Amino acid sequence: MTFDSLEAGETEARLVGRQESDGQRNWKMFLSTSKIDANGCCTNEMWMSGTENGTQGMWTVHGYSEQSKRIAAKGRIEWSHAAALDKQTKFVALDVTENALGWKPNGFVLYSRKEQSVSVLIDKVTEDKSEVEIKWDAKTTAGSMLHEDGAKACWDTEKNNVACL
């Protein structure tokens, strides 16, 4: 697959997969760009690698590091999908040395859905906001947000602020 980008120029993606005897599948995606920098980035560089079995998996996303002048693991995506309305996706920050967003190492965002109950947990992401949990009902859209310091906000089906119970 080939696509164009202003920053990288023409970019080619190559996906390689291998089926293991235990049912696991291993995946790697390599990128090559037409705009090569002085360090040789990026020709056939691994952008993503991981394993999955159809119901769960873990993928590591790699990126070019100006500091080390090499491709490094930047983040991880862990997911599970037991049923249509029973799923979870977790985004974990790994290499945060050149992180404009201020994430801490191993900070994560976790999205979960079990039937109509949906939640997002943001944990240890930045120095000033360590944990925030947002929950809502997928059908009614009413929900709440809880900060680790105990502050809580709630809303109803019309997105109006309401007293938390």
Side-chain angles (χ1 to χ4, degrees):
M1 169 172 55
T2 303
F3 54 93
D4 283 319
S5 154
L6 292 176
E7 291 179 5
E10 185 175 277
T11 302
E12 179 181 83
R14 183 172 57 94
L15 181 63
V16 178
R18 185 178 73 228
Q19 176 79 38
E20 301 294 337
S21 60
D22 63 359
Q24 288 282 102
R25 289 176 286 280
N26 295 317
W27 297 96
K28 290 183 180 178
M29 181 178 282
F30 299 88
L31 297 181
S32 295
T33 65
S34 62
K35 291 184 180 178
I36 306 300
D37 68 13
N39 300 301
C41 183
C42 295
T43 303
N44 204 34
E45 298 286 357
M46 185 166 44
W47 179 67
M48 181 204 74
S49 62
T51 61
E52 56 89 13
N53 66 11
T55 59
Q56 64 182 10
M58 183 174 71
W59 305 30
T60 301
V61 179
H62 306 269
Y64 184 71
S65 170
E66 283 293 331
Q67 189 174 35
S68 65
K69 304 297 183 203
R70 65 179 179 80
I71 299 293
K74 296 290 188 178
R76 185 176 64 237
I77 303 167
E78 302 167 6
W79 60 273
S80 65
H81 188 223
L85 294 178
D86 186 359
K87 49 190 159 190
Q88 208 172 54
T89 305
K90 184 177 186 179
F91 302 91
V92 182
L94 298 175
D95 177 0
V96 295
T97 55
E98 299 168 8
N99 183 350
L101 298 176
W103 281 52
K104 291 195 253 179
N106 296 312
F108 67 84
V109 175
L110 173 65
Y111 167 88
S112 301
R113 178 161 185 174
K114 182 84 170 169
E115 298 300 325
Q116 297 305 316
S117 178
V118 184
S119 69
V120 174
L121 176 64
I122 303 168
D123 188 27
K124 298 181 182 171
V125 175
T126 63
E127 292 295 331
D128 61 341
K129 295 179 182 171
S130 293
E131 185 175 301
V132 175
E133 185 171 25
I134 306 165
K135 296 180 179 183
W136 69 95
D137 183 289
K139 191 176 257 184
T140 69
T141 70
S144 65
M145 182 170 68
L146 176 64
H147 189 273
E148 72 171 10
D149 66 7
K152 188 172 185 179
C154 299
W155 62 90
D156 64 15
T157 59
E158 301 295 320
K159 309 293 184 288
N160 295 313
N161 290 333
V162 295
C164 298
L165 304 174

